[in-house]
Amino acid sequence: MRLEPRIASPAQTILYPVAAFAATFAFAALLVLMAGVSPLGVFRLVFLGAAGSQFALLETLTRATPLIFTGLAVTVAFRAKLWNIGAEAQLYIGAVVTVVLGTGAVAAPSWVLVPLIALAAMLAGGLLLLGPALLKTRFGVDEVVTTLLLNFIVLLFVSMLLEGPLKDPMGLGWPQSQRVVAEAQWPRLVQGKRLHMGFPVAILAALAVWLMLARSVLGYEMRAVGHNAAAARFAGIPVNRVLALTALISGGLAALGGVSEVSGLKGNLTLDLSPGFGYTGIVVAMLALLHPLGVVASAIFVAGIFVGADAMSRAVGVPSYIADVMTATALLTMGTAIVFTRYRIRWR
Amino acid sequence: MAAALEILFTASFWVAAVRIASPLIFATLGELICERAGVLNLGIEGIMVAGAFAGWITVYSGGDLWTGVAVAALTGAAFGLLHGLLTVPLGLSQHVTGIGITLLATSLTYYTYRLALPEVTSPPKIEAFRPLEIPVLSDLPLIGPALFAQTPFTYLAFVAAALVAWLLYRTPLGLALRAAGENPDALEAQGLSVTAIRMGAVAAGSALMAVGGAFLTMSAFNSFFFEMVNGRGWVCIALVVFGSWRPGKALLGAILFGAFDAYQVRLQGVVGDAVPYQVFLMLPYVLSILALVAVSRRASYPRALMVPYRKGER
């Protein structure tokens, strides 16, 4: 068997990804059958839970917000072939900076405090990824392993802070931080609902990343480095500097997701702030084929599956982990679909 | 200070070091086989989760211990075949696919666990492997208990290391496997299939990873709980680099890591509350990164690692 490059017809470029989603749902249906429940009924409940009412829709968009940020972080990094698997850690660092500056340490009006926290957090997140990026360019250390290990280190660091200096004295002993002051909060978009400023900010970030990648010199250099680092270097592109800037931007985007979750939604920092947003961001970015605007759509889709599965799981006894299975399966089937659009399979 | 040093001279410390190292030995050997054939397998973390669960549920539902190990190995091989299929003939990104396999194996395991035991709050225990003392040898001072009073599962880890080393360096199959990772064209010129050898290596390596995971539920903690693998898979990826892709060095690296991990736990007891316990828990991960930095400059990666092989393409 071998692969022969080809240019797929428009029908094929649509058909294969659709087949990928069909395969994902078929696999999920099989697992639901294992639970002894009708798959169609379950999918209906998932859909209703994700988009069946105004409440459900707003909840889906709320859940999509951090995924857009981490999805963008992964998109920027992967475009330059900087394998940032550490968006989880960068998100938490962003959240840490938010509660360090936002719980009363800095007294300033909202229009100063909110941007100040956002910038400081982005810087911290960027620096956190700059470390692995420099280790890669200076020492040849694989950034996959370092960013993965940093996820565990940072989570322990957060745990240490929440049981130490950042611990809420009024928290009844729980490892949680104080709530951020009113001036640091991001406003809610709809009165009495959970959707907050983070969502439009995430969309603006997607637009900015898209413009940067498609229209700026840096974006061009990033893509060139990702496509062929040796050729890029030969063409005079400062590869190491481009990778460093990529790290700062990617880490910054993930950290902004952490700010958004604390300032916009939760109000304080706990150890369960992120149920794996950093890892799910990889799925979001890959489903969007590393296109920044596609990230918005795929984040909403993935968030819908999670929110819908939570609602479904409460109604019937199918574990909500079905959502994790579906997103992981979608990642693999979509990757396969892309190969099929780009290559023809020759069996001999 | 004296107390911190004394730890090194207690037998229980070395017993713990080897016990902690055992699952890492299996999984590091597994990753080493994959990478030696030219395929990075980031599915390792998830495959260890799946193996831990597969072994445990087999014993929990009445199978005997060695059947559990076999079921774990088969589960790992299945995920390995999937990773191999996607990355070798189809040539998908090994990074992304590996992460995908980890996410898939982990979530499938959690889903199955919840389905099998919906109402469980404290995870049920199984009758796990018991230590098997080897007469005379286990009476040696200090290292006697560490090497000769472990469970049969730990002995299997050492056997596996010897077997992998023999296979890699002393058999035609091992030569072919190494060629797949260094110079696939040469392999193809010999009339051997790079695809078949890489797929086989990934399946076999993944089986070892899953057995490493099974050690956790069947010889260490005796029950399955979420997040029990806790980054061990990623540590093993670092250990492969640290051991410069050689089974013997990888074995030593794993034991060194186990000793370090056992030491930090005991050091917590000596230091007390002066330093937050999280600092100690961080140390193994920090150590892994430092080890990578130390060896990466002169690391000689298998030359065709992460390079998809397309017949007739140059």
Side-chain angles (χ1 to χ4, degrees), chain A residues 3 31 35 83 139 141 144-145 148 152-153 156-157 159-160 163 318-319 321 324-325 328-329 331 336 339 343, chain B residues 42 86 89 92 95 100 104 107 110-111 114-115 226 230-231 234 237 277-279 282 285 288 296-297 310:
Chain A
L3 304 174
L31 291 175
W83 301 107
F139 298 98
V141 180
V144 172
V145 189
L148 275 167
F152 292 86
I153 295 173
L156 284 164
F157 176 66
S159 157
M160 188 176 94
E163 287 178 17
V318 177
Y321 286 111
D324 302 84
V325 178
T329 311
L331 173 67
T336 311
V339 170
Y343 299 95
Chain B
L42 293 181
L86 294 173
L92 260 70
H95 285 112
L104 180 67
S107 55
Y110 290 0
Y111 180 83
R114 273 276 166 265
L115 215 53
F226 289 178
N230 202 15
W234 312 132
I237 297 212
Y277 69 94
Q278 289 95 343
V279 171
M282 271 181 218
Y285 303 114
S288 301
S296 276
R297 247 192 224 275
R310 303 241 161 88

Side-chain angles (χ1 to χ4, degrees), chain A residues 91 94-95 98 114 117-118 121-122 186 254-265:
Chain A
L91 183 141
T98 308
V114 167
I117 291 176
M122 289 180 76
W186 292 15
L256 197 53
V259 181
S260 152
E261 282 300 280
V262 172
S263 300
L265 188 62

Side-chain angles (χ1 to χ4, degrees), chain B residues 35 37-39 94 179-184 198 301-308:
Chain B
E35 293 192 15
V39 182
Q94 295 180 8
E182 294 286 345
N183 190 348
R198 284 188 172 173
Y301 285 76
R303 244 177 308 160
L305 181 61
M306 290 188 273
V307 184

Side-chain angles (χ1 to χ4, degrees), chain B residues 177-201:
Chain B
L177 193 149
R178 287 183 287 135
E182 294 286 345
N183 190 348
D185 279 319
L187 195 60
E188 203 77 28
Q190 291 218 313
L192 295 169
S193 161
V194 175
T195 308
I197 289 190
R198 284 188 172 173
M199 295 264 302

Side-chain angles (χ1 to χ4, degrees), chain A residues 60-288:
Chain A
T60 297
L61 296 183
T62 309
R63 181 69 82 95
T65 303
L67 292 178
I68 297 175
F69 285 115
T70 54
L72 289 173
V74 172
T75 297
V76 169
F78 280 23
R79 274 290 186 97
K81 289 232 166 68
L82 178 72
W83 301 107
N84 174 17
I85 323 286
E88 189 79 1
Q90 294 136 25
L91 183 141
Y92 268 105
I93 284 299
V96 166
V97 171
T98 308
V99 293
V100 166
L101 297 178
T103 50
V106 182
S110 197
W111 61 271
V112 177
L113 194 54
V114 167
L116 176 78
I117 291 176
L119 285 175
M122 289 180 76
L123 186 65
L127 289 175
L128 186 65
L129 184 54
L130 187 64
L134 288 180
L135 286 181
K136 173 197 172 89
T137 53
R138 292 284 166 83
F139 298 98
V141 180
D142 187 21
E143 75 277 22
V144 172
V145 189
T146 46
T147 52
L148 275 167
L149 290 170
L150 272 173
N151 287 340
F152 292 86
I153 295 173
V154 166
L155 208 62
L156 284 164
F157 176 66
V158 173
S159 157
M160 188 176 94
L161 292 178
L162 290 182
E163 287 178 17
L166 288 185
K167 185 173 180 165
D168 180 6
M170 310 299 277
L172 303 171
W174 290 104
Q176 62 180 40
S177 79
Q178 281 181 284
R179 297 188 65 81
V180 292
V181 296
E183 289 81 9
Q185 275 170 23
W186 292 15
R188 297 279 153 109
L189 286 189
V190 187
Q191 195 68 42
K193 296 284 190 300
R194 277 153 46 96
L195 190 66
H196 54 89
M197 264 305 280
F199 185 68
V201 172
I203 291 184
L204 283 179
L207 281 168
V209 169
W210 173 61
L211 278 176
M212 181 202 67
L213 278 175
R215 292 279 180 273
S216 77
V217 176
L218 179 63
Y220 170 77
E221 290 177 337
M222 282 175 176
R223 287 183 286 130
V225 169
H227 202 70
N228 187 337
R233 185 170 283 126
F234 187 72
I237 292 175
V239 173
N240 289 356
R241 195 166 70 203
V242 170
L243 282 175
L245 285 170
T246 306
L248 286 175
I249 295 171
S250 171
L253 283 164
L256 197 53
V259 181
S260 152
E261 282 300 280
V262 172
S263 300
L265 188 62
K266 300 284 174 64
N268 66 355
L269 173 58
T270 54
L271 268 179
D272 58 359
L273 180 76
S274 159
F277 290 138
Y279 301 101
T280 311
I282 298 171
V283 180
V284 166
M286 293 313 292
L287 288 185

